[in-house]
Amino acid sequence: MKMSAEKKAIDKIFRRRDRYDIPEWQRGKVWNKTKKQRLIDSILRGWHLPKFYFVEGTTEEDYLVEDGQQRLAAIYEFFSNQLPL
């Protein structure tokens, strides 16, 4: 298996959110509102986030989310105006 590290803009991930699939074996959404807001606050302050791990899907543009589901969900909610600060 080949691994590579890439930087991706969070807004770009949000715009292409339909390309990131959550495998069925992943746990459900468990982060509460406060934890999500703290993540967004960290992003806005420019603090480093833990790495996201994606596995290439059936095409080069589709990915399975191996690690980072809770963070992605918080980011999606924020960009969709569903998560206030």
Side-chain angles (χ1 to χ4, degrees), residues 1-6 51-55 66:
M1 175 189 329
K2 180 185 171 196
M3 294 185 72
S4 64
E6 298 177 26
K51 292 179 183 177
F52 291 84
Y53 288 91
F54 304 117
V55 176
E66 193 72 23

Side-chain angles (χ1 to χ4, degrees), residues 15-61:
R15 286 192 312 269
R16 296 179 177 179
R17 63 191 173 278
D18 60 324
R19 297 181 184 179
Y20 296 89
D21 294 323
I22 308 296
E24 288 187 25
W25 54 263
Q26 286 271 12
R27 64 183 176 165
K29 296 177 184 175
V30 297
W31 278 17
N32 63 28
K33 182 179 176 181
T34 301
K35 193 159 187 172
K36 293 175 191 177
Q37 289 171 324
R38 287 182 179 159
L39 174 76
I40 300 302
D41 182 65
S42 297
I43 292 169
L44 295 174
R45 291 175 189 265
W47 295 348
H48 292 281
L49 299 179
K51 292 179 183 177
F52 291 84
Y53 288 91
F54 304 117
V55 176
E56 197 171 280
T58 54
T59 71
E60 291 183 13
E61 296 180 355

